[in-house]
């Protein structure tokens, strides 16, 4: 079967990826950056792993929900977070095993690959560049540095505004409930991945269209979508 024929019968022509917890494992950089920010607000966190819940959702929301800061205080904490993150935390990150091979396969299949992340676009672009995978993605949609466009449903909507992709031929992949909620609000299907930072309980409760536990299972899913 030719590549042209493959594209014609694929159900998902556009694949939207979350970044943190889906393409890369950002645990060290994010938790250390949050630890740094909290220390400047008088809160000492000895074990950075207790800050793992900060991975995924918009930071300003997490500072309010997890540590009960006001919106104004949370904005100040985000600025402190970025002091550490922009120079060090952004590189304390790892590409999940198998991701580059997955992206290569999807590209060869002729799919349009897109990043839809709550991370500021400028940081997302730097992460993709650092790992040498930026060329796989036609569009990178993230939040703005001023905190706007940070809700995942808004980001996914922005993807469709910028690309004109057919929603019925698109699917969102992510590791947290926010990714699945964002997909549902935009009337597209979704895949939850179990190797990231969403618990089994969180991912089961949110009822994604599909659920896979590993990058290999994700690759097999798309290998069969032709």
């Amino acid at each position: 079967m030719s590549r042209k024929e493959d594209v014609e019968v694929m159900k998902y022509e556009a694949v939207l990826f979350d970044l943190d917890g889906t393409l890369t494992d950002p645990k060290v950089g994010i938790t250390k950056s949050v630890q740094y920010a909290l220390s400047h607000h008088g809160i000492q966190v000895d074990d950075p792993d207790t800050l793992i819940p900060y991975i995924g959702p918009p930071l300003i929301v997490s500072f309010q929900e997890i540590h009960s800061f006001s919106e104004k205080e949370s904005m100040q904490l985000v600025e402190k977070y970025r002091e550490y993150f922009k120079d060090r935390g952004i590189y304390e990150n790892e590409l999940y095993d198998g991701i580059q091979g997955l992206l290569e396969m999807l590209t060869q299949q002729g799919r349009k690959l897109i990043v839809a992340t709550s991370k500021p676009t400028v940081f997302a672009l730097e992460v993709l560049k650092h790992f040498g995978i930026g060329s796989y993605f036609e569009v990178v949609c993230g939040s703005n540095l001023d905190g706007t466009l940070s809700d995942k449903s808004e980001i996914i909507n922005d993807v469709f505004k910028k690309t004109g992709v057919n929603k019925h031929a698109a699917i969102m992949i992510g590791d947290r409930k926010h990714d699945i909620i964002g997909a549902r609000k935009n009337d597209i299907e979704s895949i939850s991945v179990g190797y990231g930072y969403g618990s089994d309980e969180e991912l089961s409760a949110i009822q994604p269209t599909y659920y896979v536990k590993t990058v290999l299972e994700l690759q097999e899913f798309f290998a069969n979508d032709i």
Side-chain angles (χ1 to χ4, degrees):
M1 185 178 287
S2 70
R3 175 172 168 175
K4 182 176 184 295
E5 289 170 335
D6 284 348
V7 173
E8 288 177 345
V9 299
M10 284 190 304
K11 181 176 181 181
Y12 302 110
E13 297 175 8
V15 183
L16 284 63
F17 283 90
D18 174 46
L19 178 56
D20 294 337
T22 302
L23 293 173
T24 71
D25 183 351
K27 183 180 79 169
V28 174
I30 289 180
T31 56
K32 283 189 175 182
S33 298
V34 173
Q35 185 182 40
Y36 173 88
L38 291 173
S39 70
H40 283 78
H41 211 87
I43 298 176
Q44 299 300 319
V45 178
D46 295 326
D47 182 4
D49 281 358
T50 63
L51 303 174
I52 285 175
Y54 276 88
I55 301 173
L59 279 171
I60 193 167
V61 174
S62 293
F63 279 121
Q64 293 176 74
E65 292 184 350
I66 298 172
H67 277 93
S68 301
F69 287 108
S70 68
E71 183 176 358
K72 181 179 179 180
E73 289 170 331
S74 296
M75 291 174 65
Q76 294 170 346
L77 283 158
V78 169
E79 291 303 313
K80 279 296 177 184
Y81 170 98
R82 289 175 181 164
E83 285 183 9
Y84 182 96
F85 186 79
K86 67 181 180 181
D87 295 324
R88 289 173 284 175
I90 194 171
Y91 304 113
E92 295 173 321
N93 200 344
E94 295 181 357
L95 194 66
Y96 283 115
D97 289 343
I99 286 294
Q100 186 143 5
L102 169 66
L103 298 177
E104 184 66 29
M105 184 193 79
L106 295 175
T107 300
Q108 290 177 354
Q109 290 176 333
R111 303 181 200 266
K112 182 190 294 287
L113 305 186
I114 298 163
V115 171
T117 174
S118 294
K119 185 184 292 298
T121 302
V122 63
F123 293 148
L125 288 168
E126 180 60 26
V127 169
L128 297 174
K129 177 183 176 182
H130 176 68
F131 288 112
I133 59 173
S135 61
Y136 291 107
F137 298 97
E138 296 191 27
V139 178
V140 177
C141 288
S143 62
N144 299 321
L145 286 171
D146 64 3
T148 57
L149 198 66
S150 61
D151 180 80
K152 187 55 68 81
S153 61
E154 294 178 344
I155 292 166
I156 295 174
N157 183 57
D158 193 47
V159 166
F160 293 117
K161 286 181 179 179
K162 290 180 176 177
T163 65
V165 164
N166 177 2
K167 289 187 177 183
H168 299 294
I171 193 164
M172 176 72 204
I173 304 172
D175 69 311
R176 298 298 307 273
K177 65 181 181 180
H178 311 82
D179 303 306
I180 309 311
I181 293 170
R184 188 172 296 139
K185 287 184 176 180
N186 281 277
D187 299 317
I188 66 171
E189 296 189 349
S190 61
I191 302 176
S192 282
V193 296
Y195 57 81
Y197 287 93
S199 66
D200 286 341
E201 292 77 14
E202 175 183 325
L203 298 179
S204 297
I206 204 62
Q207 297 183 323
T209 313
Y210 306 100
Y211 173 74
V212 300
K213 292 185 178 181
T214 67
V215 176
L216 179 59
E217 287 184 17
L218 196 55
Q219 187 163 347
E220 291 172 347
F221 175 90
F222 287 105
N224 292 322
D225 179 45
I226 55 175

Coordinates of all heavy atoms in Angstrom, one line a residue, residues 122-199:
V122 N 7.3 29.6 24.6 CA 8.7 29.8 24.5 C 9.5 28.7 25.2 O 10.6 28.3 24.6 CB 9.1 31.2 25.0 CG1 8.8 31.3 26.5 CG2 10.5 31.6 24.8
F123 N 9.1 28.2 26.3 CA 9.8 27.2 27.0 C 9.5 25.8 26.3 O 10.5 25.0 26.2 CB 9.3 27.0 28.4 CG 9.7 28.2 29.3 CD1 8.8 28.6 30.3 CD2 10.8 28.9 29.1 CE1 9.2 29.7 31.1 CE2 11.2 30.0 29.9 CZ 10.3 30.4 30.9
A124 N 8.3 25.6 25.8 CA 8.1 24.3 25.0 C 9.0 24.2 23.8 O 9.5 23.1 23.6 CB 6.6 24.3 24.6
L125 N 9.1 25.3 23.1 CA 10.0 25.3 21.9 C 11.4 25.0 22.3 O 12.1 24.2 21.6 CB 9.9 26.6 21.2 CG 8.6 26.9 20.5 CD1 8.5 28.4 20.0 CD2 8.5 26.0 19.2
E126 N 11.9 25.5 23.4 CA 13.3 25.2 23.9 C 13.5 23.8 24.3 O 14.5 23.2 24.0 CB 13.6 26.2 25.0 CG 15.0 26.0 25.6 CD 16.1 26.3 24.6 OE1 15.9 27.0 23.6 OE2 17.2 25.7 24.7
V127 N 12.5 23.2 24.9 CA 12.5 21.8 25.3 C 12.6 20.9 24.1 O 13.4 20.0 24.0 CB 11.3 21.4 26.2 CG1 11.3 19.9 26.4 CG2 11.4 22.1 27.5
L128 N 11.8 21.2 23.1 CA 11.7 20.4 21.9 C 13.1 20.5 21.1 O 13.6 19.5 20.6 CB 10.6 20.8 21.0 CG 9.2 20.6 21.5 CD1 8.1 21.2 20.6 CD2 8.9 19.1 21.8
K129 N 13.6 21.7 21.1 CA 14.9 21.9 20.5 C 16.0 21.2 21.2 O 16.9 20.6 20.6 CB 15.2 23.4 20.4 CG 16.6 23.8 19.9 CD 16.8 25.3 19.9 CE 18.2 25.7 19.4 NZ 18.5 27.1 19.6
H130 N 16.0 21.2 22.5 CA 17.0 20.6 23.4 C 17.1 19.1 23.1 O 18.2 18.5 23.0 CB 16.7 20.9 24.8 CG 17.6 20.2 25.8 ND1 18.9 20.5 25.9 CD2 17.4 19.1 26.7 CE1 19.5 19.7 26.8 NE2 18.6 18.9 27.3
F131 N 15.9 18.5 22.9 CA 15.9 17.0 22.6 C 15.9 16.7 21.1 O 15.9 15.5 20.8 CB 14.6 16.4 23.3 CG 14.7 16.4 24.8 CD1 13.9 17.1 25.6 CD2 15.6 15.5 25.4 CE1 14.0 17.1 27.0 CE2 15.7 15.5 26.8 CZ 14.9 16.2 27.6
G132 N 16.0 17.7 20.3 CA 16.1 17.4 18.9 C 14.9 16.8 18.2 O 15.0 16.1 17.2
I133 N 13.7 17.2 18.8 CA 12.5 16.6 18.2 C 11.5 17.7 17.7 O 10.4 17.4 17.2 CB 11.7 15.7 19.2 CG1 11.4 16.5 20.5 CG2 12.6 14.5 19.6 CD1 10.5 15.8 21.4
G134 N 12.0 19.0 17.7 CA 11.2 20.0 17.2 C 10.7 19.9 15.8 O 9.6 20.3 15.4
S135 N 11.6 19.3 14.9 CA 11.2 19.3 13.5 C 10.1 18.3 13.2 O 9.5 18.4 12.1 CB 12.5 18.8 12.7 OG 12.9 17.5 13.1
Y136 N 9.7 17.5 14.1 CA 8.6 16.6 13.9 C 7.2 17.3 14.0 O 6.2 16.8 13.5 CB 8.6 15.4 14.9 CG 9.7 14.5 14.8 CD1 10.8 14.4 15.7 CD2 9.7 13.5 13.8 CE1 11.8 13.5 15.6 CE2 10.8 12.6 13.6 CZ 11.8 12.6 14.5 OH 12.8 11.7 14.4
F137 N 7.2 18.5 14.6 CA 5.9 19.1 14.9 C 5.7 20.3 14.0 O 6.6 21.2 13.8 CB 5.9 19.6 16.4 CG 6.0 18.4 17.3 CD1 7.2 18.0 17.9 CD2 4.9 17.7 17.6 CE1 7.3 17.0 18.8 CE2 4.9 16.6 18.5 CZ 6.2 16.2 19.0
E138 N 4.5 20.3 13.4 CA 4.2 21.4 12.5 C 3.8 22.7 13.3 O 4.0 23.8 12.8 CB 3.1 21.0 11.5 CG 3.5 19.9 10.6 CD 2.5 19.6 9.5 OE1 1.8 20.5 9.1 OE2 2.4 18.4 9.0
V139 N 3.2 22.5 14.4 CA 2.7 23.6 15.2 C 3.0 23.3 16.7 O 2.8 22.1 17.1 CB 1.2 23.8 15.0 CG1 0.7 25.0 15.9 CG2 0.9 24.1 13.6
V140 N 3.3 24.3 17.5 CA 3.5 24.2 18.9 C 2.6 25.3 19.6 O 2.9 26.5 19.4 CB 5.0 24.4 19.4 CG1 5.1 24.3 20.9 CG2 5.8 23.3 18.7
C141 N 1.6 24.9 20.3 CA 0.7 25.8 20.9 C 0.8 25.6 22.4 O 0.6 24.5 23.0 CB -0.8 25.5 20.5 SG -1.1 26.0 18.8
G142 N 1.2 26.7 23.1 CA 1.3 26.7 24.5 C 0.7 27.9 25.1 O -0.1 28.6 24.4
S143 N 0.9 28.2 26.4 CA 0.4 29.3 27.1 C 1.2 30.6 26.8 O 2.3 30.5 26.3 CB 0.2 29.1 28.6 OG 1.5 28.9 29.1
N144 N 0.7 31.7 27.2 CA 1.5 33.0 27.2 C 2.2 33.2 28.5 O 1.8 32.7 29.5 CB 0.6 34.1 26.8 CG -0.1 34.0 25.5 OD1 0.5 33.5 24.5 ND2 -1.4 34.3 25.4
L145 N 3.3 33.9 28.5 CA 4.1 34.2 29.7 C 3.3 35.0 30.7 O 3.6 34.9 31.9 CB 5.4 34.9 29.3 CG 6.5 34.0 28.7 CD1 7.6 34.9 28.2 CD2 7.0 33.0 29.7
D146 N 2.3 35.7 30.3 CA 1.5 36.5 31.2 C 0.4 35.7 31.9 O -0.4 36.2 32.6 CB 0.9 37.7 30.5 CG -0.1 37.4 29.4 OD1 -0.4 36.2 29.2 OD2 -0.6 38.3 28.7
G147 N 0.3 34.4 31.6 CA -0.6 33.5 32.2 C -1.9 33.3 31.4 O -2.7 32.4 31.8
T148 N -2.1 34.0 30.3 CA -3.3 33.8 29.5 C -3.1 32.6 28.6 O -1.9 32.2 28.4 CB -3.6 35.0 28.7 OG1 -2.4 35.3 27.8 CG2 -3.9 36.2 29.5
L149 N -4.2 32.1 28.1 CA -4.2 30.9 27.3 C -3.5 29.7 28.0 O -2.7 29.0 27.4 CB -3.5 31.2 25.9 CG -3.9 30.2 24.8 CD1 -5.3 30.3 24.4 CD2 -3.0 30.4 23.6
S150 N -3.8 29.5 29.2 CA -3.2 28.4 30.0 C -4.1 27.2 30.1 O -3.6 26.1 30.5 CB -2.7 28.9 31.3 OG -3.8 29.3 32.1
D151 N -5.4 27.4 30.0 CA -6.4 26.3 30.1 C -6.2 25.4 28.9 O -6.2 25.8 27.7 CB -7.8 26.8 30.2 CG -8.8 25.7 30.3 OD1 -9.0 25.2 31.4 OD2 -9.4 25.4 29.3
K152 N -6.2 24.1 29.1 CA -5.9 23.1 28.0 C -7.0 23.2 26.9 O -6.7 23.0 25.7 CB -5.8 21.7 28.5 CG -5.3 20.7 27.5 CD -4.0 21.0 26.8 CE -2.8 21.0 27.7 NZ -2.2 19.7 27.9
S153 N -8.3 23.4 27.3 CA -9.3 23.5 26.3 C -9.1 24.7 25.4 O -9.4 24.6 24.2 CB -10.7 23.5 27.0 OG -10.8 24.7 27.8
E154 N -8.6 25.8 26.0 CA -8.4 27.0 25.2 C -7.2 26.7 24.2 O -7.2 27.2 23.1 CB -8.0 28.2 26.1 CG -9.2 28.6 26.9 CD -8.8 29.8 27.9 OE1 -7.6 30.0 28.0 OE2 -9.7 30.5 28.4
I155 N -6.2 26.0 24.7 CA -5.0 25.7 23.9 C -5.4 24.9 22.7 O -4.9 25.1 21.6 CB -3.9 25.1 24.8 CG1 -3.4 26.1 25.8 CG2 -2.8 24.5 23.9 CD1 -2.5 25.5 26.9
I156 N -6.2 23.8 23.0 CA -6.6 22.9 21.9 C -7.4 23.7 20.9 O -7.3 23.5 19.7 CB -7.3 21.7 22.5 CG1 -6.4 20.9 23.3 CG2 -7.9 20.9 21.3 CD1 -7.1 19.7 24.0
N157 N -8.3 24.6 21.4 CA -9.1 25.4 20.5 C -8.2 26.3 19.6 O -8.4 26.5 18.4 CB -10.1 26.3 21.3 CG -11.0 27.1 20.4 OD1 -11.7 26.6 19.6 ND2 -11.0 28.4 20.6
D158 N -7.1 26.8 20.2 CA -6.1 27.6 19.5 C -5.5 26.8 18.4 O -5.2 27.4 17.3 CB -5.1 28.2 20.5 CG -4.2 29.3 19.9 OD1 -4.8 30.2 19.3 OD2 -3.0 29.2 20.0
V159 N -5.2 25.5 18.6 CA -4.6 24.7 17.6 C -5.5 24.6 16.4 O -5.0 24.8 15.2 CB -4.5 23.2 18.1 CG1 -4.2 22.2 17.0 CG2 -3.4 23.1 19.2
F160 N -6.8 24.5 16.6 CA -7.7 24.4 15.4 C -7.9 25.7 14.7 O -8.0 25.8 13.5 CB -9.1 23.8 15.9 CG -9.0 22.4 16.4 CD1 -9.3 22.1 17.7 CD2 -8.6 21.4 15.5 CE1 -9.3 20.8 18.1 CE2 -8.5 20.1 15.9 CZ -8.9 19.8 17.2
K161 N -7.8 26.8 15.5 CA -7.8 28.1 14.8 C -6.6 28.4 13.9 O -6.7 28.9 12.9 CB -7.9 29.2 15.9 CG -9.2 29.4 16.6 CD -9.1 30.5 17.6 CE -10.5 30.7 18.3 NZ -10.4 31.8 19.3
K162 N -5.5 27.9 14.4 CA -4.2 28.1 13.7 C -4.0 27.2 12.5 O -3.3 27.5 11.6 CB -3.0 28.0 14.6 CG -3.0 29.2 15.6 CD -1.8 29.1 16.6 CE -1.6 30.3 17.5 NZ -0.5 30.1 18.4
T163 N -4.6 26.0 12.6 CA -4.3 24.9 11.6 C -5.4 24.6 10.7 O -5.2 24.1 9.6 CB -3.8 23.6 12.3 OG1 -4.9 23.1 13.1 CG2 -2.6 23.9 13.2
G164 N -6.6 24.8 11.1 CA -7.8 24.4 10.3 C -7.9 22.9 10.2 O -8.6 22.3 9.3
V165 N -7.3 22.1 11.2 CA -7.4 20.7 11.2 C -8.8 20.2 11.4 O -9.6 20.8 12.2 CB -6.5 20.1 12.3 CG1 -6.8 18.7 12.6 CG2 -5.0 20.2 11.9
N166 N -9.2 19.2 10.7 CA -10.5 18.6 10.9 C -10.6 17.9 12.2 O -9.9 17.0 12.5 CB -10.8 17.6 9.7 CG -12.1 16.9 9.9 OD1 -12.9 17.1 10.8 ND2 -12.4 16.0 9.0
K167 N -11.5 18.3 13.1 CA -11.6 17.8 14.4 C -11.9 16.3 14.4 O -11.5 15.5 15.3 CB -12.7 18.5 15.2 CG -12.4 19.9 15.6 CD -13.4 20.5 16.6 CE -13.1 21.9 17.1 NZ -14.1 22.4 18.0
H168 N -12.7 15.8 13.4 CA -13.0 14.4 13.3 C -11.9 13.5 13.0 O -11.9 12.3 13.1 CB -14.2 14.2 12.3 CG -15.4 15.0 12.7 ND1 -16.2 14.7 13.8 CD2 -16.1 16.0 12.1 CE1 -17.2 15.5 13.9 NE2 -17.2 16.3 12.9
A169 N -10.8 14.2 12.5 CA -9.6 13.4 12.2 C -8.4 13.7 13.1 O -7.2 13.5 12.8 CB -9.2 13.8 10.7
A170 N -8.7 14.2 14.3 CA -7.7 14.6 15.3 C -7.9 13.9 16.6 O -9.0 13.5 17.0 CB -7.8 16.1 15.6
I171 N -6.8 13.7 17.3 CA -6.8 13.0 18.6 C -5.8 13.7 19.5 O -4.7 14.1 19.1 CB -6.6 11.5 18.5 CG1 -6.9 10.8 19.8 CG2 -5.2 11.2 18.1 CD1 -7.1 9.3 19.7
M172 N -6.2 13.8 20.8 CA -5.3 14.4 21.8 C -4.7 13.4 22.7 O -5.4 12.5 23.2 CB -6.1 15.4 22.7 CG -5.3 16.1 23.8 SD -4.1 17.3 23.3 CE -3.0 17.3 24.7
I173 N -3.4 13.4 23.0 CA -2.7 12.5 23.8 C -2.1 13.2 25.1 O -1.4 14.2 24.9 CB -1.5 11.8 23.1 CG1 -2.0 11.1 21.8 CG2 -0.8 10.8 24.0 CD1 -0.9 10.6 21.0
G174 N -2.4 12.7 26.3 CA -1.9 13.4 27.5 C -1.9 12.5 28.7 O -2.5 11.4 28.6
D175 N -1.3 12.9 29.7 CA -1.2 12.0 30.9 C -2.0 12.5 32.1 O -2.0 11.9 33.2 CB 0.3 12.0 31.4 CG 0.8 13.3 31.9 OD1 0.6 14.3 31.2 OD2 1.4 13.3 33.0
R176 N -2.7 13.7 32.0 CA -3.5 14.2 33.1 C -4.9 14.5 32.6 O -5.2 14.5 31.5 CB -2.9 15.5 33.6 CG -1.5 15.4 34.2 CD -1.4 14.5 35.4 NE -2.3 14.8 36.4 CZ -2.1 15.7 37.4 NH1 -0.9 16.4 37.4 NH2 -3.0 15.9 38.3
K177 N -5.8 14.6 33.6 CA -7.2 14.8 33.3 C -7.5 16.1 32.5 O -8.4 16.1 31.7 CB -8.0 14.8 34.6 CG -7.7 16.0 35.5 CD -8.6 16.0 36.8 CE -8.3 17.2 37.7 NZ -9.1 17.1 39.0
H178 N -6.6 17.1 32.7 CA -6.8 18.3 32.0 C -6.7 18.1 30.5 O -7.4 18.8 29.7 CB -5.8 19.4 32.4 CG -5.7 19.5 33.9 ND1 -4.9 18.6 34.7 CD2 -6.2 20.3 34.8 CE1 -5.0 18.9 35.9 NE2 -5.8 19.9 36.1
D179 N -5.9 17.2 30.0 CA -5.7 16.9 28.6 C -7.0 16.3 28.1 O -7.5 16.7 27.0 CB -4.6 16.0 28.4 CG -3.3 16.5 28.9 OD1 -2.9 17.6 28.6 OD2 -2.6 15.8 29.7
I180 N -7.6 15.4 28.8 CA -8.8 14.7 28.4 C -10.0 15.7 28.4 O -10.9 15.7 27.5 CB -9.1 13.5 29.2 CG1 -7.8 12.6 29.3 CG2 -10.3 12.7 28.7 CD1 -7.1 12.3 28.0
I181 N -10.1 16.5 29.5 CA -11.2 17.5 29.6 C -11.1 18.4 28.4 O -12.1 18.8 27.8 CB -11.1 18.2 30.9 CG1 -11.5 17.2 32.1 CG2 -12.1 19.4 30.9 CD1 -11.2 17.8 33.4
G182 N -9.9 18.9 28.1 CA -9.7 19.8 27.0 C -10.1 19.2 25.7 O -10.7 19.9 24.8
A183 N -9.8 18.0 25.5 CA -10.2 17.3 24.2 C -11.7 17.2 24.1 O -12.3 17.5 23.1 CB -9.5 15.9 24.2
R184 N -12.3 16.8 25.2 CA -13.8 16.6 25.3 C -14.5 17.9 25.0 O -15.5 18.0 24.2 CB -14.2 16.0 26.6 CG -15.7 15.6 26.7 CD -15.9 14.9 28.0 NE -15.2 13.7 28.0 CZ -14.6 13.2 29.1 NH1 -14.7 13.9 30.3 NH2 -14.0 12.1 29.1
K185 N -14.0 19.0 25.5 CA -14.6 20.3 25.3 C -14.5 20.8 23.9 O -15.2 21.7 23.4 CB -14.0 21.4 26.3 CG -14.5 21.2 27.7 CD -13.9 22.3 28.6 CE -14.4 22.2 30.0 NZ -13.9 23.3 30.9
N186 N -13.5 20.2 23.2 CA -13.3 20.6 21.8 C -13.8 19.5 20.8 O -13.6 19.5 19.6 CB -11.8 20.8 21.5 CG -11.4 22.2 22.0 OD1 -11.5 23.2 21.3 ND2 -10.8 22.2 23.2
D187 N -14.6 18.6 21.4 CA -15.2 17.5 20.6 C -14.2 16.7 19.8 O -14.5 16.3 18.6 CB -16.3 18.1 19.7 CG -17.4 18.8 20.4 OD1 -17.9 18.3 21.4 OD2 -17.8 19.9 20.0
I188 N -13.1 16.3 20.4 CA -12.2 15.4 19.8 C -11.9 14.2 20.7 O -12.1 14.3 21.9 CB -10.8 16.1 19.4 CG1 -10.0 16.5 20.6 CG2 -11.1 17.3 18.4 CD1 -8.6 17.0 20.2
E189 N -11.4 13.2 20.1 CA -11.1 11.9 20.8 C -9.8 12.1 21.6 O -9.0 13.0 21.3 CB -11.1 10.7 19.9 CG -12.5 10.5 19.3 CD -12.7 9.2 18.6 OE1 -11.6 8.5 18.3 OE2 -13.8 8.8 18.3
S190 N -9.5 11.2 22.5 CA -8.4 11.3 23.4 C -7.7 10.0 23.7 O -8.4 9.0 23.7 CB -8.7 12.1 24.6 OG -9.7 11.3 25.4
I191 N -6.4 10.1 24.1 CA -5.7 8.9 24.6 C -5.0 9.4 25.9 O -4.3 10.3 25.9 CB -4.6 8.4 23.6 CG1 -5.2 8.0 22.3 CG2 -3.9 7.2 24.3 CD1 -4.2 7.6 21.3
S192 N -5.3 8.6 27.0 CA -4.6 8.8 28.2 C -3.4 7.9 28.3 O -3.5 6.7 27.9 CB -5.4 8.6 29.5 OG -6.3 9.7 29.7
V193 N -2.2 8.4 28.7 CA -1.0 7.5 28.8 C -0.7 7.3 30.2 O -0.7 8.2 31.1 CB 0.2 8.1 28.0 CG1 -0.1 8.2 26.5 CG2 0.6 9.5 28.6
G194 N -0.5 6.0 30.6 CA -0.3 5.6 32.0 C 1.2 5.7 32.5 O 1.4 5.5 33.6
Y195 N 2.1 6.2 31.6 CA 3.5 6.3 32.0 C 3.8 7.7 32.5 O 5.0 7.9 32.9 CB 4.4 5.9 30.9 CG 4.2 6.7 29.6 CD1 4.8 8.0 29.5 CD2 3.5 6.2 28.5 CE1 4.6 8.7 28.3 CE2 3.3 7.0 27.4 CZ 3.9 8.2 27.3 OH 3.7 9.0 26.1
G196 N 2.9 8.6 32.5 CA 3.1 9.9 33.0 C 2.8 10.2 34.4 O 3.1 9.3 35.3
Y197 N 2.1 11.3 34.7 CA 1.9 11.7 36.1 C 0.4 11.6 36.6 O 0.1 12.0 37.7 CB 2.5 13.0 36.4 CG 4.0 12.9 36.4 CD1 4.8 13.1 35.3 CD2 4.7 12.5 37.6 CE1 6.2 12.9 35.3 CE2 6.0 12.3 37.6 CZ 6.8 12.5 36.4 OH 8.1 12.3 36.4
G198 N -0.5 11.2 35.7 CA -1.8 11.0 36.2 C -2.0 9.6 36.8 O -1.5 8.6 36.2
S199 N -2.6 9.5 37.9 CA -2.9 8.2 38.5 C -3.9 7.4 37.8 O -4.6 7.9 37.0 CB -3.4 8.4 40.0 OG -4.7 9.0 40.0

